[in-house]
Amino acid sequence: KPLLKGERQALVERAHRAADLAAAAGDGVDRAGDQAGGREAALALLREGDASTWLPYDTPGAVRRFLRHWQPRLGVLMETEVWPNLVQACRRAGVPLCLLNARMSERSFRHYQLLRGLWRELAARGVPRHIAAISEADAARYAFFFGQDRVS
């Protein structure tokens, strides 16, 4: 369903705040996998009513249990983390999703075109609600699948 102008603005503002949290988490990422320092910095930015947690493996049962437990009002996916089971379960549960720091290389774009029908179906169902790309080139590639009105 379409968002009213005020709802869309609130969603985008909340998603951008989530991006700030993610950026803080990224500041402490050790490429060997230790994210503790950055995660602590991100958690310090949370406001009352916010939660930050790790996502489950993208299996139907794990995602279903995750959504039942957390009952999120907004899901924020980062970079290229568009997981099929998570996306479908959030759509069914009415949880709007945003994709932040979105990137799609030219090579990935060619591969995604093989699944053009899937992306267009998701777009027709309003998923994701907003995509904040990291560059104009990435925005153009996402707009090809999801429409310009959802991409910034």
Side-chain angles (χ1 to χ4, degrees), residues 80-103:
T80 59
E81 299 296 324
V82 182
W83 298 352
N85 289 306
L86 178 67
V87 168
Q88 291 290 1
C90 286
R91 183 188 59 74
R92 282 189 216 108
V95 177
L97 293 176
C98 295
L99 180 59
L100 302 183
N101 295 340
R103 57 189 172 82

Side-chain angles (χ1 to χ4, degrees), residues 69-147:
H69 175 78
W70 288 102
Q71 300 177 359
R73 290 179 285 170
L74 170 67
V76 178
L77 306 175
M78 300 303 297
E79 296 179 355
T80 59
E81 299 296 324
V82 182
W83 298 352
N85 289 306
L86 178 67
V87 168
Q88 291 290 1
C90 286
R91 183 188 59 74
R92 282 189 216 108
V95 177
L97 293 176
C98 295
L99 180 59
L100 302 183
N101 295 340
R103 57 189 172 82
M104 183 188 303
S105 69
E106 187 62 41
R107 180 177 180 224
S108 293
F109 178 69
R110 289 190 304 272
H111 289 207
Y112 279 32
Q113 286 181 356
L114 298 173
L115 299 172
R116 183 180 313 167
L118 170 66
W119 304 121
R120 296 248 165 104
E121 179 184 335
L122 288 174
R125 294 174 186 244
V127 179
R129 293 277 181 97
H130 182 74
I131 300 169
I134 62 172
S135 73
E136 287 184 25
D138 290 295
R141 289 188 279 267
Y142 275 102
F144 177 82
F145 298 111
F146 296 101

Side-chain angles (χ1 to χ4, degrees), residues 2-13:
L3 292 174
L4 298 175
K5 185 176 182 181
E7 289 176 319
R8 180 178 172 85
Q9 184 61 35
L11 178 66
V12 170
E13 287 173 11

